[in-house]
Amino acid sequence: MAPTFLETSTSKQQHELELKVCDAYQDLLEFEGQDRDELLLLLKDRHARYLQAGLGQLPSGFISLDASRPWICYWVLHGLALLQAPLPSSISSSQVITFLQACQHASGGYGGGPGHLPHLAPTYAAVCALLTLGGAEAYDSIDRAGVWDFLCRMAVPPEQGGGFRMHEGGECDARSCFTALAVASALCLDVPGLVARSGVVDFLRRCQTYEGGLGGEPGNEAHGGYTFCGLAALVLAGCPHALDLQRLLHWAAQRQGWSEGGFNGRTNKLVDGCYSFWQGGVFPLLQELLGVQQPQEELAQQAQHQLGLCGNVATYAPLQPPASWQQQQQQQEELLVPDLPDLSRVLGPLQQAELEAERLNAACDALAEAAIQRHKDDTAAAAATAADTGKPEQAAAETAGQGSAAGEPEVVERDSTQQLLERAQAAEQAAEYADQNVEIATASAAVLYPCSGAPSPQDLYTLLASPAAAAAAAAAGVPDRSSAEGDGSAAGNPLFNPRALQCWLLRACQQLKGGLRDKPGKSADYYHSCYCLSGLSMAQHIAGGGVVGPAQNQLPRVDPLVNVLAGKLQQAKEHFGALPQPGRLG
């Protein structure tokens, strides 16, 4: 019997990752209370030392990031701010400010290094780095009028497709729209004027795919980074309901790995620590936008009104996926959400894995027994024929179907002993794979979705990571087990599992010597350190979140739109808001 699935390189990598994470989570099950908290400790001092090294002289291997030097400053400074750690003693804030000033272009905006042409991505990174440093010296170093002129030049008129170019003659995508509006908002520039000039709302509306997420450009595959950028840009523009938010929520919730707890960036891809923010950051925005349920007709009217305010003439309509996709979704919904309140019919990943393992083990045993019995039968038949003919070799050949008295090959309709043994071996491999899945599901259920005793059907709802299933559980009166601490804002369903995300970051993404990484087996880097910490902060502060592990794991809150510390952004807006506008678009 062959395995009941088609193995691909991706499925193999996924299974290998699940086994690695399973080992990390099983370690937690051996300890309780304070001992378990120690295994979930955020290694702040080690991560701070790792990040502090990024502001000095970097090794030659970093030459590929020569055009991303403001990004390195931002990743390091933001990471240190989250850890509430100081700059290294050898580097002063003035030195960082001086370097970023050297990256500022005379025509406005920032380049990827001194002397580089201005580009929206390093402009966003440089501004965020300076806001993170804070203070008059950092604020005054920003040529606000030059930045405004640069943003205006990058705006693409609606009649040309809308959006923003990354640089002169460059590409237009969801990243450029986000970085332009985030910088304009942080510096208290004329965001409504930019929105009207650029046609950004209609451009981003066309980036939403039938899955629900957003691609980088219209027609591209839904992607976590572009989805955050697109949604955040529309929130900054004041037009978030130009998107089908319910479908976006469904797609984003499906990106959280049920066994790992982290997020992936696209369908059928591996989880990655950086998506803790790029995907996880979507949920605070959606939680705010969907906090009050509105009828679909009201959402459509609101979106149409917003599109009109933003100078677009596009007509809003909820996206309609292909009929085949709709049918598949309906079948999945029927499977995941049974008739209520009969919750006992729900089969979560743990139950499915156990049933599959039981079936394959039984098949393996049956095939092995059949092979042994077939061998016994063939041996007995050969012995009997030999006794009748007195020719053991000829009898054995005839019994095995290799020849007959007439010299013709015998047609054998049943499986040979060798075939049965091969099938038994394949079934044994499949059963071993299924047993590993049971082990993975058991560890994940106990660590990421804790409850008393074995998981109940109600707890299995959380394993499904489906908004529809969560809604069905709520309708059936399943109690909400999530903490209501977090920010102190409206408590409720956080739309994803923040506990699972924190377990993933603390157990799978920390490098013991310092720094955070993509996933187990990868090395730490400044980029992942920054966005893993941002995602951890988001998961702690979202309504329904709370801190996993010891209390000292608490991080300050990041602004979910710009991704700098909320307090730092507020200080900057108080400063820039008191200044006159460098120019307004008519």
Side-chain angles (χ1 to χ4, degrees):
M1 177 181 178
T4 57
F5 58 90
L6 175 64
E7 274 197 318
T8 66
S9 58
T10 301
S11 69
K12 291 177 181 178
Q13 292 171 5
Q14 174 65 28
H15 188 64
E16 291 170 359
L17 174 60
E18 289 176 351
L19 289 174
K20 290 178 181 178
V21 176
C22 177
D23 290 341
Y25 290 164
Q26 283 180 326
D27 290 344
L28 290 175
L29 301 180
E30 299 176 6
F31 300 92
E32 295 181 357
Q34 184 176 352
D35 292 334
R36 177 179 290 190
D37 280 353
E38 290 180 2
L39 292 178
L40 291 169
L41 176 67
L42 178 63
L43 307 174
K44 289 185 176 181
D45 291 342
R46 297 183 188 183
H47 301 326
R49 287 195 297 271
Y50 173 80
L51 288 168
Q52 287 166 346
L55 289 179
Q57 181 71 38
L58 296 175
S60 60
F62 282 86
I63 193 170
S64 61
L65 294 176
D66 182 60
S68 300
R69 293 167 74 181
W71 277 109
I72 298 176
C73 292
Y74 165 62
W75 296 333
V76 170
L77 292 173
H78 182 51
L80 290 174
L82 281 165
L83 296 169
Q84 298 178 294
L87 297 180
S89 58
S90 59
I91 302 290
S92 68
S93 59
S94 294
Q95 288 176 291
V96 179
I97 293 168
T98 300
F99 168 74
L100 291 173
Q101 276 186 301
C103 297
Q104 195 162 207
H105 198 271
S107 65
Y110 292 78
H116 292 201
L117 294 175
H119 190 288
L120 276 174
T123 296
Y124 163 82
V127 169
C128 287
L130 291 165
L131 265 57
T132 299
L133 286 174
E137 183 183 4
Y139 299 155
D140 293 343
S141 73
I142 301 173
D143 179 4
R144 193 159 161 262
V147 170
W148 170 250
D149 289 341
F150 174 59
L151 296 179
C152 291
R153 295 199 310 272
M154 294 305 100
V156 179
E159 60 270 19
Q160 297 180 18
F164 290 85
R165 297 185 184 90
M166 272 293 190
H167 55 89
E168 294 285 357
E171 72 276 19
C172 176
D173 57 28
R175 294 173 308 150
S176 58
C177 298
F178 165 69
T179 50
L181 295 181
V183 167
S185 174
L187 299 181
C188 297
L189 299 173
D190 184 13
V191 173
L194 278 178
V195 170
R197 180 187 181 98
S198 65
V200 64
V201 176
D202 189 53
F203 173 81
L204 291 172
R205 181 186 65 83
R206 291 184 285 114
C207 289
Q208 189 171 25
T209 76
Y210 73 92
E211 286 187 283
L214 277 71
E217 302 172 2
N220 285 6
E221 178 186 11
H223 183 283
Y226 293 122
T227 296
F228 171 83
C229 287
L231 177 61
L234 286 170
V235 173
L236 290 166
C239 303
H241 291 286
L243 298 175
D244 184 340
L245 297 179
Q246 292 289 348
R247 182 161 292 148
L248 193 159
L249 170 60
H250 184 272
W251 176 83
Q254 300 301 324
R255 303 280 63 76
Q256 187 172 23
W258 75 267
S259 63
E260 308 97 311
F263 285 96
N264 63 28
R266 289 180 287 161
T267 302
N268 290 331
K269 295 295 183 180
L270 302 184
V271 295
D272 183 328
C274 73
Y275 291 114
S276 302
F277 175 78
W278 291 122
Q279 289 284 24
V282 167
F283 291 96
L285 305 181
L286 289 175
Q287 191 168 48
E288 183 72 21
L289 294 170
L290 300 175
V292 179
Q293 295 298 322
Q294 304 179 66
Q296 187 65 34
E297 296 78 7
E298 184 178 340
L299 289 176
Q301 292 173 2
Q302 184 175 0
Q304 183 63 50
H305 175 64
Q306 290 174 346
L307 287 169
L309 288 177
C310 297
N312 294 279
V313 295
T315 300
Y316 172 84
L319 295 175
Q320 294 298 322
S324 59
W325 187 86
Q326 287 180 310
Q327 183 178 8
Q328 181 182 5
Q329 282 297 107
Q330 183 178 359
Q331 292 173 350
Q332 291 178 352
E333 296 287 339
E334 291 173 354
L335 172 64
L336 297 180
V337 187
D339 296 333
L340 296 174
D342 183 15
L343 300 179
S344 62
R345 293 170 53 200
V346 178
L347 291 179
L350 174 57
Q351 289 177 318
Q352 292 174 350
E354 289 175 338
L355 290 173
E356 181 68 3
E358 182 179 350
R359 184 183 69 80
L360 288 171
N361 278 306
C364 178
D365 293 341
L367 284 168
E369 290 177 4
I372 293 171
Q373 187 60 47
R374 179 62 49 78
H375 181 69
K376 290 179 178 178
D377 292 345
D378 289 345
T379 301
T385 302
D388 293 340
T389 62
K391 297 179 179 180
E393 293 181 359
Q394 179 181 345
E398 291 176 354
T399 303
Q402 296 175 1
S404 65
E408 296 294 333
E410 179 182 344
V411 178
V412 180
E413 296 182 354
R414 65 179 186 175
D415 290 338
S416 67
T417 303
Q418 182 62 31
Q419 288 173 318
L420 282 172
L421 288 172
E422 290 174 355
R423 290 175 59 192
Q425 184 178 14
E428 183 178 6
Q429 293 174 349
E432 180 181 1
Y433 190 94
D435 286 337
Q436 290 173 343
N437 284 338
V438 172
E439 188 177 3
I440 291 167
T442 302
S444 297
V447 173
L448 305 184
Y449 316 93
C451 58
S452 58
S456 66
Q458 291 91 336
D459 293 298
L460 288 172
Y461 265 113
T462 61
L463 286 172
L464 298 173
S466 164
V478 178
D480 181 9
R481 290 179 168 79
S482 60
S483 167
E485 298 175 3
D487 258 346
S489 53
N493 189 344
L495 305 180
F496 76 106
N497 191 318
R499 175 188 173 83
L501 179 60
Q502 291 182 64
C503 284
W504 155 256
L505 290 168
L506 295 169
R507 287 299 295 159
C509 294
Q510 292 196 93
Q511 191 163 276
L512 292 181
K513 63 182 181 181
L516 292 100
R517 58 193 179 187
D518 169 345
K519 59 176 66 68
K522 301 288 187 177
S523 298
D525 58 66
Y526 300 128
Y527 167 82
H528 282 92
S529 296
C530 169
Y531 289 108
C532 283
L533 290 171
S534 296
L536 183 61
S537 171
M538 179 278 305
Q540 292 175 349
H541 289 276
I542 192 170
V547 177
V548 169
Q552 58 262 41
N553 282 0
Q554 177 80 57
L555 298 177
R557 191 175 77 87
V558 297
D559 179 85
L561 285 172
V562 183
N563 196 25
V564 298
L565 294 193
K568 293 285 188 179
L569 182 62
Q570 181 62 32
Q571 293 172 8
K573 286 193 171 186
E574 290 174 0
H575 173 84
F576 293 115
L579 301 178
Q581 287 288 338
R584 282 191 177 273
L585 295 168

